[in-house]
Amino acid sequence: MPMLTYREALNRAHAEALRADDDVFVIGEEVGRYGGAYGVTKGLIEEFGPDRLIDTPISEPAIVGTAVGAAMAGMRPIAELMYVDFLGMAMDQLCNQAAKIRYMFGGQIGVPMVLRTQGGTGRSAGAQHSQSLEAYVMHTPGLRLCMPATVYDAYHLLRQALEQPDPVVFIEHKGLYALREEVDLDEPPPAWGEAVVRREGRDGVLVAYSRVVHHAMAAAETLAGQGIEVSVIDLRTLNPLDFATVRREVEKTGKAMVVSEGPMTAGVGAELAARISEECFDFLEDPVVRVTGEDIPISVSVELEKGSVPGAELIEETARKLLA
Amino acid sequence: MTTPAKAGPAPATPVTTPAPERLPLYREMRRVRTFEERVGELFVRGESAGSMLHLSIGEEGAAVGVGTTMRDGDTFTTHHRGHGIFLARGADPRRMMAEIGGKETGYCHGKGGSMHIADMSLGHLGANAIVGGGIPAVVGAGLVARRRRSGAVSLAFFGDGAMQQGILYESMNMAALWDLPVVFVCVNNQWGMGTRIDQATKATALHERAAAFGLRAETVDGVDVLAVRAAAERIVGAAREGRPGFLAIDCYRFFGHARKDKSPYRTEEEEAEGRRRDPVSRARDELLAEGVAEEELDTLDREVATEMDAAIDYAIASAEPQLDSMFRDVFAPDQPEPEPVRTRIDRVLARD
Ligand SMILES: Cc1ncc(C[n+]2csc(CCOP(=O)(O)OP(=O)(O)O)c2C)c(N)n1
């Protein structure tokens, strides 16, 4: 099986989507000539030209808004925000426009666009370039949300996102671009919206998505060495949310931890913990524990940045306490 | 490269400014140049916090020409390429370097870094990593200055990339509408990452847009620090009287966007040509031509080098911030700090 990086898988998904459908185009800052700030669209302008890899001025609201209009007018834009942190600037176009158009206009039209961006810590990029803002998106009805953790998913989730009738926010993790895995992209993907159980265990379940899936897997491995067997669920998409898979694993094990890099309060973990508590109450032996980022901004200092988000150690330590 | 266009009659550079007055400007520009070179060195030595370091080499004329017109009480915001402006305004290079290294002794205790340096005692309301993000704050600061009749001016520094952000136009309109003591300074180094200014806009005579909002607006050649200073004195002086202004300063980004960018999207010829527009060597050549002894300038350069070497040493010798300091300053000091995740987990899972 070929080795591929997360970045290369995304690049390939773009290339194949652009090749397969003339209505697909990419629009954003530095997506064409430069090849993307993180190199995801590198080389594509050579094959597809500047009409399909549209370099824009630094104008985030207009980038997202242009994609909204193009989607309404019948094309399939992939708009790129260089950092998820810039969502703040484009929030109106995403949340008041893209998310609500189908509903407000009584179902007359949808906005089939993909908004690609990346987030997370790991580069000492500071408070305005390191955030995990998926909760903003998840909180807004009308938006789909996916956050791939693996090379395979980076490819397939982007392809599937481009098949959706509604706006999809696609958040990559900057710490995963160099991740290299052996993948068979020809293997058919799980259906859109399905979570994947990455590891099965009887003692408890760790629910995760994006980069922390890898931390959860590392923690699970260490725990296995101590005789503790946990399941690890990779949600893959947060909207749709595959709660059936979560419920099944929680009912099986009776103990659940949710892991995310973003801040704890009103985060994705909060939503998951609430649903598990409500819907699996009779099966739970312990409180659902959130292992999350701290409720603080991200510092540029290497040490503080690392300390602000959960790693494999904190997950393992917490699991040991919960499952003891 | 766009040719600098002037709005209205601007007095020619006063070539008669005597050497003793020009020497401090040269020294200040040399300090900026050398500081930025040392930032590069900090990165190479693996002592910087990350690689998102945007050097202002080539922009010294802008930083020093405008930075030295500010007075005590004036306030300003900068962008991600703002080291030079802050240094010209009087920053301590050691604390700047320490901040860039993410150290406790830095201006923001290692929380901000290169793109978020600030110092309220010098009126620096903050550098910004959001293109355009620091612009509207000067409208607010200008509003306060006018209300309190403090005589202070507030200046926003930003790159040409920010000329395409809507927030600039909302801010300029309000500053003009309310006659605020505010100046918008666009450091036009021709590039925003890999996008040349004429690939980002048809309207490359940037000051014309500001003029359309009713601001006093000029474009000046940033290679000539005296011309920049003269323009800044006009524009900042008028703003102090309640006539807000805009100044575009033409210059060239000598190196890549950030430390890891090798600018493959520019030709070598263009770069060579751009780097000939060097405000530091130009000022030096002029001083030599006016009879300042070369040894004097060499000595000055060496003093500056020693100062900036010390800044590196200081940054490297400084300690990392204490881990628990990360919970400080989310809110005001008398407010409870957020509970650490680990503490909460232990509390939740505490068993008898
Ligand atoms: C809102 C926002 N969009 C995009 C970026 C990414 N980015 C950082 S600097 C930059 C180019 C800025 O160009 P310019 O304003 O001309 O400043 P320069 O880097 O040339 O000094 C871009 C696109 C950002 N930091 N913030």
Side-chain angles (χ1 to χ4, degrees):
Chain A
M1 274 195 294
M3 295 288 278
L4 212 60
T5 64
Y6 189 85
R7 178 188 285 113
E8 288 161 352
L10 289 163
N11 184 277
R12 185 176 301 183
H14 277 86
E16 290 176 8
L18 284 159
R19 232 169 266 143
D21 181 353
D22 204 42
D23 282 339
V24 172
F25 70 96
V26 183
I27 181 166
E29 293 158 19
E30 309 293 340
V31 296
R33 286 179 302 268
Y34 197 97
Y38 282 88
V40 167
T41 51
K42 199 161 227 97
L44 298 181
I45 196 169
E46 270 105 68
E47 180 177 347
F48 302 102
D51 287 345
R52 301 189 68 200
L53 281 121
I54 303 178
D55 282 318
T56 68
I58 307 171
S59 308
E60 285 79 10
I63 294 167
V64 177
T66 299
V68 171
M72 291 176 78
M75 289 185 72
R76 278 238 166 229
I78 306 176
E80 181 184 302
L81 282 182
M82 201 181 280
Y83 285 77
V84 76
D85 312 69
F86 310 159
L87 203 57
M89 321 194 61
M91 207 65 160
D92 172 62
Q93 292 302 316
L94 183 68
C95 296
N96 287 327
Q97 314 303 331
K100 297 190 172 45
I101 280 170
R102 183 187 292 282
Y103 190 83
M104 287 189 303
F105 300 155
Q108 292 180 66
I109 195 165
V111 183
M113 61 175 281
V114 174
L115 178 61
R116 265 192 58 243
T117 186
Q118 58 80 26
T121 57
R123 283 202 63 205
S124 280
Q128 298 173 336
H129 279 63
S130 306
Q131 298 175 85
S132 299
L133 298 182
E134 58 273 17
Y136 290 10
V137 178
M138 196 182 185
H139 190 65
T140 303
L143 298 177
R144 299 298 188 190
L145 171 60
C146 59
M147 298 190 65
T150 65
V151 172
Y152 179 89
D153 277 352
Y155 174 86
H156 280 290
L157 284 175
L158 184 56
R159 293 303 304 268
Q160 289 177 322
L162 284 164
E163 304 288 316
Q164 301 311 310
D166 295 305
V168 180
V169 180
F170 189 95
I171 309 179
E172 296 147 24
H173 196 294
K174 62 170 72 60
L176 291 178
Y177 285 124
L179 172 72
R180 183 181 289 279
E181 290 176 334
E182 221 168 71
V183 280
D184 177 7
L185 295 181
D186 293 333
E187 195 179 301
W192 170 253
E194 258 179 36
V196 165
V197 180
R198 301 263 174 225
R199 183 183 177 112
E200 297 240 26
R202 56 177 190 273
D203 299 324
V205 52
L206 312 184
V207 186
Y209 59 93
S210 189
R211 186 175 63 171
V212 290
V213 168
H214 299 274
H215 300 335
M217 290 296 281
E221 187 64 32
T222 312
L223 290 164
Q226 302 159 11
I228 302 170
E229 293 293 341
V230 293
S231 293
V232 176
I233 297 177
D234 177 357
L235 291 170
R236 303 171 71 247
T237 58
L238 295 172
N239 188 331
L241 179 67
D242 178 4
F243 195 73
T245 297
V246 176
R247 182 188 292 113
R248 198 181 60 230
E249 290 300 310
V250 173
E251 289 181 358
K252 199 173 81 185
T253 66
K255 302 194 184 213
M257 273 166 58
V258 288
V259 189
S260 72
E261 184 172 322
M264 173 192 75
T265 298
V268 173
E271 170 60 22
L272 289 167
R275 275 194 75 172
I276 295 170
S277 303
E278 280 177 347
E279 298 190 29
C280 311
F281 186 72
D282 291 340
F283 294 86
L284 284 173
E285 298 163 21
D286 277 291
V288 183
V289 179
R290 286 172 288 171
V291 183
T292 64
E294 303 287 351
D295 278 338
I296 62 176
I298 304 296
S299 289
V300 82
S301 146
V302 178
E303 296 301 314
L304 300 195
E305 180 187 34
K306 230 188 305 165
S308 306
V309 295
E313 238 170 75
L314 180 61
I315 300 170
E316 183 221 315
E317 194 187 304
T318 307
R320 260 192 287 111
K321 288 174 193 158
L322 176 68
L323 306 177
Chain B
M1 208 170 298
T2 50
T3 27
K6 286 205 164 49
T13 306
V15 281
T16 49
T17 307
E21 262 179 54
R22 313 176 70 141
L23 212 50
L25 294 177
Y26 170 73
R27 171 188 277 273
E28 220 35 70
M29 288 199 292
R30 174 62 68 195
R31 288 180 76 237
V32 172
R33 173 70 52 95
T34 308
F35 179 83
E36 295 291 45
E37 288 167 354
R38 295 299 185 274
V39 171
E41 188 187 324
L42 196 72
F43 168 75
V44 171
R45 290 170 68 173
E47 295 280 352
S48 65
S51 65
M52 293 183 80
L53 305 168
H54 309 87
L55 306 185
S56 63
I57 294 178
E59 304 178 6
E60 296 87 349
V64 172
V66 185
T68 55
T69 60
M70 281 189 259
R71 295 187 199 152
D72 285 353
D74 289 350
T75 54
F76 64 108
T77 61
T78 64
H79 56 328
H80 57 282
R81 205 178 299 281
H83 300 162
I85 297 156
F86 187 29
L87 208 54
R89 182 64 193 99
D92 175 352
R94 294 176 313 156
R95 291 181 65 199
M96 283 183 71
M97 198 66 86
E99 188 59 38
I100 293 165
K103 298 299 182 67
E104 167 60 30
T105 54
Y107 271 105
C108 309
H109 308 294
K111 285 186 167 134
S114 165
M115 295 197 289
H116 302 294
I117 296 187
D119 178 27
M120 299 311 132
S121 67
L122 283 172
H124 192 354
L125 303 183
N128 218 296
I130 297 297
V131 170
I135 294 173
V138 304
V139 178
L143 201 65
V144 172
R146 195 188 58 178
R147 170 87 153 264
R148 297 192 174 157
R149 299 179 202 285
S150 68
V153 173
S154 194
L155 295 84
F157 293 86
F158 47 88
D160 44 286
M163 290 299 297
Q164 293 11 292
Q165 287 285 33
I167 190 84
L168 172 64
Y169 300 93
E170 300 177 21
S171 303
M172 291 200 300
N173 186 51
M174 283 159 70
L177 182 66
W178 299 330
D179 304 314
L180 298 180
V182 163
V183 176
F184 302 91
V185 184
C186 177
V187 182
N188 180 2
N189 64 16
Q190 317 300 320
W191 288 88
M193 288 189 75
T195 302
R196 212 176 45 226
I197 181 71
D198 62 342
Q199 294 167 331
T201 181
K202 290 260 196 232
T204 53
L206 303 179
H207 66 265
E208 288 176 359
R209 306 188 200 175
F213 282 90
L215 295 169
R216 280 176 70 96
E218 291 185 34
T219 293
V220 67
D221 185 357
V223 78
D224 180 354
V225 69
L226 284 175
V228 176
R229 231 255 295 244
E233 276 168 356
R234 284 192 296 278
I235 298 274
V236 175
R240 229 178 266 290
E241 315 285 298
R243 279 169 293 148
F246 173 96
L247 183 61
I249 306 170
D250 268 330
C251 51
Y252 190 74
R253 193 190 77 204
F254 276 25
F255 299 105
H257 169 67
R259 279 303 304 181
K260 285 185 170 165
D261 175 28
K262 303 272 183 285
S263 315
Y265 42 82
R266 312 199 291 200
T267 64
E268 275 177 35
E269 297 75 54
E270 185 203 299
E271 291 201 334
E273 170 64 27
R275 288 179 197 153
R276 268 197 288 280
R277 294 168 37 75
D278 183 337
V280 184
S281 57
R282 160 137 169 193
R284 195 175 212 276
D285 291 346
E286 284 176 355
L287 287 167
L288 290 172
E290 282 164 42
V292 176
E294 184 147 31
E295 302 85 85
E296 190 184 342
L297 296 179
D298 288 347
T299 305
L300 182 157
D301 289 354
R302 269 198 305 277
E303 284 166 10
V304 168
T306 306
E307 181 193 12
M308 298 308 166
D309 285 342
I312 283 221
D313 294 343
Y314 180 81
I316 292 176
S318 292
E320 294 281 343
Q322 294 280 329
L323 194 57
D324 62 2
S325 75
M326 71 185 177
F327 298 104
R328 202 158 61 212
D329 296 326
V330 181
F331 293 106
D334 61 346
Q335 302 291 309
E337 290 181 351
E339 183 181 26
V341 166
R342 215 182 220 101
T343 312
R344 178 182 48 81
I345 290 171
D346 286 345
R347 196 163 48 73
V348 168
L349 293 179
R351 307 260 165 84
D352 302 325

